[in-house]
Amino acid sequence: MSTAAARPMNDEEVFSEMNKMVAFIKQEAMEKAREIKVKADEEFNIEKAKLVRQESINVEEQFQRKVKQAQVKQRILESTLINKSRLKVLQERQSLLESVFVEARSELEKVPNDTEKYKTLLVNLCVQAFVQLNDTTVNVRGRKADIGLLKECVPKAVETYNQKYGKSVKATVVEPTPLADSVLGGVRVSALNDRITVDNTLLARLELSSDRMLPQLRHILFGQSPNRKFFN
């Protein structure tokens, strides 16, 4: 058997083979590059979508937090304004009530000016005190300006008390320690060495009436409170 010797390639053949190899490698590289780019684009788009979704969630959460914060601030502001308004209304009402009592006090100051009516009032106030104390010996005090009237009215009160209730009482007008002019008038009657006292001065009666009539006065001036659930 005979064998043929391999013929070596010439320069052109070598160059041609090299170009084919370069072209093949280049083609492979381009295809690989395209695959890498496609995969990279896919991963980029996936990651981008994740980031967009996450950012959207973050934005929505921030928006909801701001909405809630705004709502809380709004409620606080509304509550503050309502409380201020209520306080102002209460202050105005209190001011009006005080003006009513100031006017009442001003009218009471005029009571002693009508001497005859004032005498009748002093007698009635003394009798009422006698009944409350229910003692046989009492002291009667009044303003310094009323001492003369009391000396006249107290005996009448004693007589009225005896006739109306069938009881006797010794009543003494105390001159050394008169009541202050600020009591407006009336009497302060005491028993058991001044240990028990009935304050029937005009000022005391005004204060007592003010406390008792305050609910009725509020109702007359301002109407029924909407917060009140029970009525007499």
Side-chain angles (χ1 to χ4, degrees):
M1 177 184 290
S2 59
T3 60
R7 182 177 64 80
M9 293 184 293
N10 57 31
D11 292 342
E12 290 181 359
E13 289 174 340
V14 171
F15 184 72
S16 176
E17 288 297 324
M18 288 181 65
N19 283 339
K20 290 179 181 180
M21 292 178 64
V22 169
F24 175 77
I25 293 172
K26 185 177 180 181
Q27 182 65 31
E28 288 291 323
M30 291 177 64
E31 290 179 359
K32 192 65 176 177
R34 280 196 295 270
E35 290 178 2
I36 293 173
K37 185 176 183 304
V38 170
K39 187 175 181 181
D41 289 342
E42 290 177 353
E43 292 178 353
F44 171 77
N45 290 330
I46 292 172
E47 190 63 26
K48 179 181 177 181
K50 289 181 180 179
L51 291 174
V52 170
R53 283 196 300 273
Q54 186 59 46
E55 190 62 26
S56 298
I57 293 172
N58 293 339
V59 170
E60 180 65 20
E61 289 177 351
Q62 291 178 4
F63 175 74
Q64 291 299 330
R65 281 197 299 271
K66 290 182 179 180
V67 168
K68 290 180 180 179
Q69 290 173 355
Q71 291 174 341
V72 170
K73 289 182 180 179
Q74 181 67 22
R75 286 195 293 269
I76 292 174
L77 178 60
E78 289 177 355
S79 177
T80 301
L81 292 176
I82 290 173
N83 289 336
K84 286 184 178 180
S85 177
R86 287 176 177 171
L87 181 60
K88 186 175 181 181
V89 170
L90 291 175
Q91 289 173 340
E92 291 294 334
R93 288 184 174 184
Q94 184 62 30
S95 177
L96 181 57
L97 287 172
E98 290 175 357
S99 70
V100 170
F101 294 128
V102 168
E103 181 65 23
R105 180 190 175 101
S106 178
E107 291 298 317
L108 281 179
E109 290 175 352
K110 301 175 184 177
V111 170
N113 295 338
D114 190 331
T115 304
E116 293 305 315
K117 288 184 178 180
Y118 187 47
K119 286 181 181 179
T120 301
L121 177 62
L122 288 175
V123 170
N124 291 335
L125 292 175
C126 286
V127 172
Q128 185 184 68
F130 296 163
V131 172
Q132 288 181 270
L133 290 171
N134 193 26
D135 203 340
T136 57
T137 304
V138 298
N139 291 324
V140 181
R141 289 181 173 83
R143 299 182 307 167
K144 185 176 182 180
D146 295 336
I147 295 298
L149 293 177
L150 288 175
K151 288 182 178 180
E152 180 181 348
C153 294
V154 168
K156 292 181 179 180
V158 170
E159 182 181 356
T160 301
Y161 177 70
N162 177 262
Q163 292 177 351
K164 191 171 183 179
Y165 297 97
K167 298 180 179 180
S168 61
V169 61
K170 179 183 178 182
T172 303
V173 178
V174 180
E175 296 186 51
T177 53
L179 303 179
D181 290 337
S182 58
V183 301
L184 306 180
V187 294
R188 189 174 292 160
V189 185
S190 59
L192 300 177
N193 294 323
D194 296 337
R195 290 196 295 271
I196 301 177
T197 301
V198 173
D199 194 345
N200 263 355
T201 61
L202 298 186
L203 180 62
R205 299 302 293 263
L206 174 62
E207 292 174 346
L208 180 62
S209 299
S210 299
D211 291 338
R212 290 179 177 176
M213 294 182 62
L214 191 58
Q216 298 175 12
L217 189 57
R218 282 200 180 103
H219 179 67
I220 293 171
L221 293 175
F222 313 122
Q224 189 62 55
S225 172
N227 297 325
R228 187 176 178 184
K229 298 180 179 180
F230 302 99
F231 305 93
N232 295 329

